[in-house]
Amino acid sequence: MDKKTEILSAYEFRHACKEFDPDKKISDEDFAFILETGRLSPSSFGWEPWKFLVVQNMDIREKLKPFAWGAQKQLPTASHFVLIMARKAIDTKPGSVYLDYISREIQHLPENVVEMKTNAYKNFVEKDFDLTDDRKLFDWACKQTYIPLGNMMTAAAQIGIDSCPIEGFDRAKIDGILKEEGIIDTDHFSVSVLVAFGYRTKDAQIFDKTRQPIDKVVQWVE
């Protein structure tokens, strides 16, 4: 199988798995691979405004369940359940401690480049994208988290692992549980999206993909 056919086959294989085989678990090696594709994902300005919270504690999953209506079957059965957290405005405002850390400690930028990048980002936030309040900045960070989300699901499909992205949840209640359990500092993070990984049940009903034809979703400007 050539590489392009292999990749498209993974997209055909992938579906929003509503229930997983609870007796089949993803190996540590395979899940580390999936997480690594998330870690290596790109982000705007390279800020990486995310954290991947892997919830394997079944008691915590049970506490999340009443407030995650879109994950009623996935929470109890998924081999691995991930809450992708987005950073709040305290970390994504120009000049924040977090962005300074990324620029200096992770990207190892020289002082003059840090200053140029900070100014460019400030212009982007205030003028280009109008990210002028805390909610707008948080929503922008949430948009970034969908890049690793897609990459992790595709990577999983390429090695025969099922997944399901989930937006059906009460954000405030989920954040509240994470804060109460001492898992996440909710001054800095809030949940963006959920994603479950595992293996489909033997009797899972898989339907043909229903997508618009290419000429309806692609427009060429020549």
Side-chain angles (χ1 to χ4, degrees):
M1 187 183 295
D2 67 70
K3 185 60 66 176
K4 287 182 285 188
T5 301
E6 179 186 334
I7 292 170
L8 287 176
S9 294
Y11 277 93
E12 290 289 345
F13 167 85
R14 196 217 66 78
H15 75 291
C17 189
K18 304 304 183 188
E19 186 172 8
F20 299 89
D21 184 340
D23 297 322
K24 294 185 70 176
K25 302 300 179 185
I26 301 169
S27 71
D28 291 345
E29 179 184 352
D30 284 349
F31 201 69
F33 161 74
I34 292 169
L35 288 174
E36 185 67 356
T37 66
R39 187 185 75 87
L40 292 174
S41 295
S43 58
S44 187
F45 287 86
W47 291 145
E48 304 175 44
W50 50 57
K51 181 184 285 285
F52 309 135
L53 182 62
V54 186
V55 180
Q56 298 302 85
N57 183 305
M58 296 308 291
D59 291 336
I60 299 296
R61 287 198 198 181
E62 192 62 29
K63 290 182 179 181
L64 297 175
K65 192 177 175 184
F67 309 109
W69 55 265
Q72 293 301 289
K73 292 183 177 180
Q74 295 94 332
L75 273 166
T77 63
S79 171
H80 290 67
F81 197 91
V82 182
L83 281 65
I84 302 184
M85 312 298 294
R87 286 188 176 271
K88 290 185 173 181
I90 189 175
D91 290 332
T92 54
K93 286 180 178 177
S96 73
V97 171
Y98 173 73
L99 297 188
D100 190 66
Y101 153 76
I102 291 290
S103 296
R104 299 176 191 278
E105 303 299 324
I106 302 302
Q107 297 174 350
H108 305 294
L109 301 177
E111 188 63 37
N112 65 314
V113 178
V114 171
E115 184 177 351
M116 286 191 296
K117 185 171 184 176
T118 300
N119 290 335
Y121 179 61
K122 188 173 187 294
N123 186 73
F124 169 81
V125 166
E126 294 177 357
K127 298 178 181 178
D128 296 341
F129 263 46
D130 185 30
L131 305 176
T132 49
D133 63 50
D134 288 1
R135 182 56 195 247
K136 287 179 179 179
L137 267 175
F138 173 69
D139 288 343
W140 176 77
C142 286
K143 283 171 55 179
Q144 302 300 307
T145 69
Y146 279 67
I147 302 173
L149 169 68
N151 287 344
M152 288 192 288
M153 291 193 299
T154 299
Q158 288 186 289
I159 57 173
I161 292 172
D162 291 294
S163 62
C164 185
I166 301 156
E167 285 190 322
F169 59 87
D170 183 324
R171 172 178 282 134
K173 292 292 177 56
I174 298 293
D175 284 351
I177 291 169
L178 299 178
K179 180 178 181 179
E180 184 178 307
E181 295 291 330
I183 296 170
I184 285 290
D185 183 350
T186 53
D187 288 338
H188 292 266
F189 290 98
S190 182
V191 63
S192 171
V193 64
L194 318 177
V195 57
F197 295 95
Y199 295 95
R200 65 189 67 177
T201 59
K202 291 179 181 178
D203 58 351
Q205 287 187 300
I206 309 299
F207 301 98
D208 291 338
K209 290 248 189 293
T210 55
R211 299 290 190 274
Q212 296 182 74
I214 194 73
D215 63 323
K216 297 293 186 182
V217 295
V218 176
Q219 179 177 339
W220 291 75
V221 181
E222 296 180 308

